[in-house]
Amino acid sequence: MPTKTFFNLSQAKQQRLLKAARQEFSRVPLYDASINKIIATAGIPRGSFYQYFKDKTDLYYYYFEKLNQEHKNLWLKTLRDNHGDLFISFRQYFSRLIGEITAGQDAPFYRNLFLNMSYKNGHKMSFASHKAHHDREFYSLVDTSCLRITNEHELKMLMRILMATVFQTLGSYYFRQQQGQKVSVTQLKHEFTRTLDWLEHGVAVRPANQH
């Protein structure tokens, strides 16, 4: 996380540094990113950078958390608009999110993120997304009357599964593209919706005389 010194900067200076970070992390993956390029683009001395962030990884995860906050606002609005219906909200949220991730101004950043995700940083990203999206406000909005859950712990378990489905679907999209496969956003939405249908209604089909 940034130091207090960073937060004492004017909004214009903070945004200039974050814009430089987006440019560099969109150009190359985190481990290839150059602090020299970031500070040159931002127009700050190298010493100043280390007054704001511990290292480039610190800056990277802070930028990711800023994006998560924007997604959280969209997520909560979608949940409110659907009166707390979790599965309807997830379908609509993903439909809106996928356009931003694949074609928005941060699309190159997300492409590098998913194509170079290790188990360690993937777990950290997934945890950060889960934490950002699911605070007390979220839990107060979900209509649990239509879910087979009995407490908040079970709701958290369900949310981890749903968020993992989001990450897996997006990761599959970029991986298949890298392999030369043509995958449309429409196809991605269909695959995500199908997975959500399985989670919501079950995937097993049994004869009527079986219980």
Side-chain angles (χ1 to χ4, degrees):
M1 288 295 292
T3 64
K4 290 182 179 179
T5 305
F6 174 79
F7 290 115
N8 287 334
L9 294 174
S10 67
Q11 283 296 312
K13 289 182 178 179
Q14 290 184 34
Q15 290 304 312
R16 189 164 69 239
L17 180 52
L18 291 177
K19 184 178 180 180
R22 181 182 71 203
Q23 181 175 319
E24 181 63 7
F25 295 138
S26 296
R27 185 183 70 86
V28 292
L30 169 61
Y31 52 80
D32 287 332
S34 166
I35 291 179
N36 287 336
K37 288 185 180 295
I38 293 173
I39 62 177
T41 303
I44 62 172
R46 189 177 184 88
S48 294
F49 176 87
Y50 289 106
Q51 290 180 357
Y52 308 146
F53 294 93
K54 180 180 178 181
D55 50 29
K56 65 180 181 181
T57 302
D58 196 24
L59 173 59
Y60 183 87
Y61 284 116
Y62 177 66
Y63 184 74
F64 180 73
E65 288 183 10
K66 293 284 286 184
L67 295 179
N68 260 333
Q69 184 60 46
E70 296 175 9
H71 297 161
K72 174 189 173 181
N73 294 337
L74 172 61
W75 168 235
L76 292 178
K77 181 181 184 303
T78 305
L79 198 57
R80 289 191 199 96
D81 290 346
N82 289 290
H83 309 290
D85 189 307
L86 190 62
F87 282 92
I88 290 177
S89 297
F90 246 105
R91 289 183 182 91
Q92 292 183 6
Y93 172 68
F94 184 82
S95 182
R96 296 167 184 168
L97 181 69
I98 190 62
E100 173 63 28
I101 286 181
T102 61
Q105 66 176 1
D106 287 292
F109 172 86
Y110 283 113
R111 186 177 189 278
N112 279 333
L113 185 157
F114 282 100
L115 287 179
N116 297 277
M117 188 176 289
S118 66
Y119 173 81
K120 181 178 180 180
N121 64 24
H123 179 75
K124 186 171 183 177
M125 294 290 188
S126 180
F127 177 78
S129 291
H130 178 84
K131 184 178 179 181
H133 285 64
H134 312 129
D135 56 13
R136 299 306 307 177
E137 183 178 7
F138 160 76
Y139 289 113
S140 69
L141 289 172
V142 175
D143 179 7
T144 58
S145 66
C146 55
L147 299 172
R148 287 190 295 172
I149 60 173
T150 58
N151 53 53
E152 188 174 296
H153 174 69
E154 291 182 353
L155 180 56
K156 289 180 179 179
M157 290 173 60
L158 175 59
M159 288 308 306
R160 282 195 290 269
I161 294 171
L162 292 171
M163 289 304 299
T165 302
V166 171
F167 266 72
Q168 183 178 12
T169 304
L170 291 170
S172 172
Y173 170 74
Y174 287 109
F175 177 77
R176 284 183 287 175
Q177 276 198 334
Q178 189 181 48
Q179 298 300 309
Q181 300 179 36
K182 292 184 178 180
V183 185
S184 68
V185 169
T186 299
Q187 181 181 346
L188 205 65
K189 290 178 182 178
H190 173 74
E191 292 176 0
F192 181 79
T193 298
R194 181 178 59 186
T195 304
L196 238 59
D197 286 344
W198 288 341
L199 288 171
E200 184 176 12
H201 304 294
V203 68
V205 177
R206 296 184 176 88
N209 61 347
Q210 287 189 9
H211 298 283

